[in-house]
Amino acid sequence: MAWLTDLPWQVSALGLVCLLGLGACAGPAQGAKPDLSVILADAPAPMLADYGLFTDIAATKPAARVRAYDLINPLFSDHASKKRLVFVPEGVRAQYSQTGVLSLPVGSVLVKSFEYAETGRIETRLLIHKSAGWVGYPYVWNEDHTEARYAPIGAKRDIEITTPAGQALAFQYAVPNQNQCKTCHQSGNAITPIGPKARNLGSDQIAAWTEAGLLSGAPEAFAQIPSIAAGQASLDARARAYLDINCAHCHKSDGAASNSGLWLGWDEDELVKLGIGKHPTAAGRGAGQLNRIIAPGAPDRSILSFRMASAEAGVAMPELGRRLIDENGVTLINQWISQLPND
Amino acid sequence: MTVKKLLFVMSASVLLAACSRTETEAPPQLAQEETDSIGEIIVSERDGSRIISLAADEKFVENLQTALITADEGDTIIMPEGLFNLTDGLSLDVDGVKLLGSGEGRTVLSFKGQEGSGEGLLVTSDNVVLGDFTMQDTAGDGIKSKGADRITYRDLTIEWTGGPLSTNGAYGVYPVESTDVLIEYVTVKGASDAGIYVGQSSNIIVRNSLVEYNVAGIEIENSIGADVFGNTARHNTGGILVFDLPDLPQIGGHSTRVFRNIIDQNNTDNFAPPGNIVGSVPSGSGVMVLANENVHVFENSFSDNRTANILLVAYQDPFADERYNPLPRNVVIRDNDYSGGGDDPQSVLADLATPLGGRLPEIVWDGVQGWGDTVAQEVNLVIAEPEEIGFVSLGLGSYPLDPAAISPSTTRPQATPVKEPGPILIAHDVKP
């Protein structure tokens, strides 16, 4: 526990009750399955294990109807490895959508665990579709990886990792707090998932979800987003895919950055809204002494590049969820801006 | 029954319920004035809403953010006296919460070591009251409230303690995309953009506040219906700005009254990071109206703003936003007091003032009436001041500029009266 900030007082209070031996707070039983009474309760469960999403203490073995999935393009998260699971209650299915996130029914849970080879699992975030809408809860693992506790204010952990490029880095990993969950997952006044869009899951997974009884309404073929990492798609497509998954959850008309008028979603086709030739609005020193979000042909004069290449609070974009610079992402976006025509 | 409701209450039956996963029991009722505590938090209840008092101990910062996250609608969170160091931004997303300190300069939240987040405090819920504390040295903005209707900022100080530096955060107080915004008795010092900035909002009051050593003292931008009065704006680069900019979700700002303010010596060199629109504000600007409509500037006291006491200007850059009109129009200037100023115009206005003897009069209009291929537009500027109050049109004509066509004139433009908007009324504007 040494690496965690001290637990918030109310979680400690609940933990105390668990120590007193109240059965409801015990760990998962053998053969556990997701517990809808916990999933749909008004309040977060004190421990991740309480939801019954896993059959083992270390949360590596998903329970029945809890299915692993991957995204074609993930958000950059300080090089953390992310393990994603989806739970859809028995008797109901998600509905296919081509443009937006799959419509997951009430009782569904999206589970995302963050880990590094050097640290093991650090945190598990839940997005739960309650009767009144989606909510996000952060859970933080203890050092022994035997339990993950609800941590509404998140946590900080000093870690050392080796990046995929072989660089050794020491930095403070930040588990976002519960409000920060909403900042990224905001859609108007509501919270929505970001990742599980059909185009970002791909036809193989969509077919598998349908086969497993989790999803209905999916066509046999639909347009997928190109993989950024695979590098086969055009530069324009990969750059737009990068902006879509890394930026557009806030930079959209009903997102946390709506007031900027900078909208970076895959479907955006207005050049000014994409930042091309657009002046900064409320960037402050985040503008980096530059006066265009994207100066076509000139990444070194583009605020977008400047903020992606910064790790400094008040300058760095995205504001949340990263402390490191996504060097590959900066390179991709710089290449893209370099070849944009300067009319 | 919610766990978070229970967490503040230390009793065996309540805690049992919290873990029982049943939803059948009625919520426990706290007796009036009953007080319980967990660690360093005192929770009392008065008139049906909770008062959560935090102690000045080593747990304060995490207790504060926890309280902001787990608060119930209507809760009051009270911060103690003390200087507290924060390394991450705070956020509030619960409606109806009051976050109160124990007085400006007594409760001080210092963000000198801030490592994360774009502001010191982000509010995204409605009916929030913020008051009685000081916030220092945030990495980005001080307090931002977005989509936060019926918010009150009262008796707050937001400051950057190193003086006016381009590395300071952009805005001190920053409500945006909100309706019914009340800001009063707020002090902001050192913002590298605007001390008090209200953007893309409607129905706004900014009054009785002090802004100094910011780039812009107060800025109303892309907003509809604002009363800005009783404020002192001094030693900023520009005192009070009323702007409208293209390419934002809400454009077409109009109906702002700027009155009975003290606008004095806004002569600080422009220290905005280049690239931002306020970077183009000449040092020594008292009031500046840019591309806004139906703006009334009256009964203010102007003194010694070295470029000009009042500037009426067009947006200069090319734009593609078809909704946008870059000209100031239907502006009324009347019944202000003027003392000094205009004696040392700065930046681009220094050159433009050269043919006028290097000085500018009290009221300066750029004389722009068109842009691109548009024909000249009627701007209707009502200059209702005594004859001895100077006026000049710089006669720039249209953007992009044609230097050969520039023709300055001191003749006041013909104008028709503009009906003044009625006072801004805000339902939650009641004396505490």
Side-chain angles (χ1 to χ4, degrees):
Chain A
M1 292 292 294
W3 49 268
L4 289 176
T5 59
D6 288 337
L7 283 167
W9 37 273
Q10 84 279 57
V11 174
S12 307
L14 283 173
L16 180 64
V17 179
C18 295
L19 289 175
L20 294 174
L22 298 164
C25 295
Q30 283 297 320
K33 59 176 192 174
D35 186 339
L36 273 175
S37 71
V38 179
I39 289 169
L40 293 174
D42 285 347
M47 311 295 277
L48 178 65
D50 296 336
Y51 294 92
L53 295 161
F54 301 95
T55 61
D56 63 332
I57 296 286
T60 56
K61 296 179 181 138
R65 276 186 84 80
V66 180
R67 182 182 183 88
Y69 69 97
D70 275 312
L71 300 176
I72 295 174
N73 294 318
L75 169 81
F76 174 75
S77 302
D78 288 344
H79 302 294
S81 162
K82 295 185 269 190
K83 301 272 195 300
R84 298 177 185 80
L85 300 165
V86 57
F87 166 69
V88 178
E90 251 177 291
V92 288
R93 289 175 180 224
Q95 290 298 312
Y96 174 84
S97 161
Q98 172 53 29
T99 53
V101 174
L102 301 178
S103 175
L104 291 153
V106 169
S108 298
V109 184
L110 294 167
V111 185
K112 186 158 62 168
S113 294
F114 292 67
E115 58 190 55
Y116 295 91
E118 295 85 349
T119 64
R121 194 158 286 188
I122 296 176
E123 55 157 329
T124 297
R125 305 178 191 170
L126 299 185
L127 265 188
I128 303 177
H129 197 175
K130 308 260 185 186
S131 306
W134 289 90
V135 297
Y137 298 141
Y139 286 81
V140 174
W141 286 89
N142 65 356
E143 235 176 14
D144 298 334
H145 302 100
T146 54
E147 60 176 33
R149 283 175 186 270
Y150 172 57
I153 62 168
K156 301 275 166 60
R157 183 175 174 184
D158 292 318
I159 64 170
E160 294 176 21
I161 62 163
T162 303
T163 68
Q167 185 190 5
L169 278 178
F171 72 104
Q172 188 177 61
Y173 182 92
V175 177
N177 72 40
Q178 195 167 316
N179 283 352
Q180 291 167 333
C181 293
K182 185 178 173 183
T183 303
C184 291
H185 285 273
Q186 178 189 345
S187 177
N189 281 324
I191 293 178
T192 61
I194 298 169
K197 301 181 173 90
R199 67 173 184 240
N200 201 19
L201 287 163
S203 50
D204 289 353
Q205 287 192 102
I206 288 292
W209 284 32
T210 302
E211 175 83 24
L214 302 179
L215 177 69
S216 61
E220 291 203 355
F222 56 86
Q224 292 182 196
I225 206 158
S227 166
I228 300 164
Q232 288 151 350
S234 70
L235 176 59
D236 185 65
R238 284 181 289 129
R240 291 294 305 273
Y242 184 90
L243 297 175
D244 185 67
I245 195 65
N246 284 282
C247 315
H249 45 275
C250 289
H251 282 280
K252 61 180 179 180
S253 63
D254 58 355
S258 59
N259 57 296
S260 66
L262 176 67
W263 297 343
L264 297 171
W266 179 248
D267 298 317
E268 184 57 59
D269 53 12
E270 275 189 53
L271 296 185
V272 172
K273 288 206 175 99
L274 276 169
I276 295 174
K278 180 175 161 51
H279 290 279
T281 307
R285 68 198 177 90
Q289 316 210 347
L290 307 171
N291 62 12
R292 291 290 189 276
I293 310 296
I294 294 174
D300 57 334
R301 289 193 279 114
S302 298
I303 294 168
L304 184 75
S305 287
F306 172 73
R307 302 191 81 163
M308 280 179 64
S310 171
E312 184 185 348
V315 175
M317 284 283 164
E319 285 180 342
L320 301 175
R322 80 164 174 94
R323 293 285 170 95
L324 303 180
I325 295 164
D326 181 6
E327 305 286 358
N328 290 338
V330 172
T331 301
L332 172 66
I333 294 303
N334 285 352
Q335 286 173 348
W336 177 63
I337 293 175
S338 294
Q339 54 80 56
L340 287 173
N342 186 3
D343 289 332
Chain B
M1 175 187 303
T2 65
V3 169
K4 65 182 182 186
K5 266 200 160 59
L6 303 175
L7 297 170
F8 295 97
V9 185
M10 221 27 174
S11 84
S13 64
V14 163
L15 286 166
L16 181 63
C19 269
S20 70
R21 299 182 185 174
T22 62
E23 300 295 312
T24 53
E25 296 178 49
Q29 298 297 317
L30 277 175
Q32 198 123 355
E33 302 293 336
E34 179 183 344
T35 296
D36 291 275
S37 74
I38 294 176
E40 307 79 7
I41 296 139
I42 309 292
V43 181
S44 57
E45 186 156 327
R46 196 165 297 141
D47 302 331
S49 58
R50 300 185 309 178
I51 298 169
I52 300 160
S53 299
L54 307 176
D57 56 28
E58 75 284 357
K59 291 276 197 83
F60 168 78
V61 173
E62 68 190 76
N63 285 343
L64 172 59
Q65 181 61 80
T66 304
L68 290 170
I69 288 175
T70 60
D72 282 337
E73 184 167 354
D75 284 353
T76 299
I77 299 167
I78 297 181
M79 299 182 286
E81 287 190 32
L83 170 64
F84 306 102
N85 295 302
L86 293 88
T87 57
D88 208 347
L90 300 163
S91 55
L92 171 62
D93 189 40
V94 181
D95 289 345
V97 168
K98 292 186 178 72
L99 174 63
L100 305 176
S102 299
E104 291 169 88
R106 295 172 183 243
T107 300
V108 179
L109 308 179
S110 170
F111 289 80
K112 217 165 193 131
Q114 189 172 358
E115 293 162 354
S117 302
E119 56 281 309
L121 170 63
L122 174 66
V123 178
T124 49
S125 48
D126 297 334
N127 301 312
V128 165
V129 177
L130 307 171
D132 300 306
F133 61 89
T134 290
M135 184 178 277
Q136 292 177 341
D137 298 319
T138 53
D141 304 312
I143 305 177
K144 178 178 179 180
S145 52
K146 179 172 181 289
D149 296 339
R150 297 173 296 283
I151 193 167
T152 303
Y153 293 86
R154 177 182 292 128
D155 295 312
L156 297 166
T157 295
I158 315 292
E159 60 189 353
W160 284 269
T161 58
L165 298 172
S166 66
T167 49
N168 292 348
Y171 302 132
V173 166
Y174 176 16
V176 65
E177 291 187 338
S178 302
T179 300
D180 294 341
V181 174
L182 174 59
I183 298 170
E184 64 175 353
Y185 304 106
V186 167
T187 299
V188 185
K189 302 179 187 182
S192 71
D193 195 305
I196 296 174
Y197 170 96
V198 185
Q200 301 182 68
S201 293
S202 304
N203 219 44
I204 300 143
I205 294 174
V206 179
R207 69 186 176 209
N208 302 330
S209 292
L210 169 65
V211 283
E212 59 183 7
Y213 300 104
N214 309 287
V215 174
I218 298 169
E219 181 172 358
I220 308 295
E221 188 173 279
N222 291 55
S223 289
I224 298 165
D227 275 351
V228 179
F229 64 98
N231 304 288
T232 296
R234 65 185 183 203
H235 304 302
N236 306 286
T237 299
I240 299 176
L241 315 183
V242 184
F243 279 20
D244 200 62
L245 301 177
D247 298 325
L248 295 174
Q250 176 168 306
I251 66 160
H254 65 81
S255 304
T256 287
R257 306 190 308 162
V258 177
F259 58 103
R260 291 174 212 152
N261 301 286
I262 295 169
I263 300 162
D264 176 43
Q265 298 179 74
N266 290 288
N267 298 330
T268 295
D269 286 341
N270 194 319
F271 62 99
N276 294 277
I277 183 77
V278 294
S280 63
V281 174
S283 166
S285 301
V287 162
M288 187 168 180
V289 179
L290 180 147
N292 212 290
E293 185 176 22
N294 196 15
V295 180
H296 298 252
V297 180
F298 57 94
E299 298 171 18
N300 299 286
S301 170
F302 289 94
S303 47
D304 302 319
N305 298 290
R306 62 177 166 168
T307 287
N309 286 316
I310 300 179
L311 284 162
L312 310 176
V313 298
Y315 181 76
Q316 298 178 22
D317 284 316
F319 60 92
D321 191 334
E322 290 174 1
R323 305 167 299 167
Y324 185 64
N325 185 324
L327 308 180
R329 55 220 188 272
N330 293 319
V331 178
V332 176
I333 312 289
R334 66 169 174 87
D335 301 316
N336 298 287
D337 283 332
Y338 303 87
S339 167
D343 52 327
D344 185 16
Q346 299 293 302
S347 70
V348 62
L349 285 171
D351 295 336
L352 290 165
T354 303
L356 305 167
R359 299 179 60 94
L360 289 171
E362 282 81 358
I363 303 165
V364 176
W365 174 40
D366 62 8
V368 173
Q369 289 183 275
W371 66 96
D373 297 329
T374 60
V375 295
Q377 308 246 318
E378 193 54 59
V379 293
N380 199 41
L381 306 178
V382 181
I383 313 297
E385 299 284 23
E387 279 306 316
E388 65 269 22
I389 303 303
F391 169 86
V392 69
S393 164
L394 298 173
L396 301 185
S398 67
Y399 283 113
L401 284 186
D402 174 5
I406 294 176
S407 58
S409 163
T410 56
T411 306
R412 295 184 182 187
Q414 293 290 316
T416 54
V418 179
K419 188 174 186 307
E420 187 178 311
I424 297 295
L425 301 175
I426 292 181
H428 68 274
D429 181 11
V430 290
K431 292 292 167 207

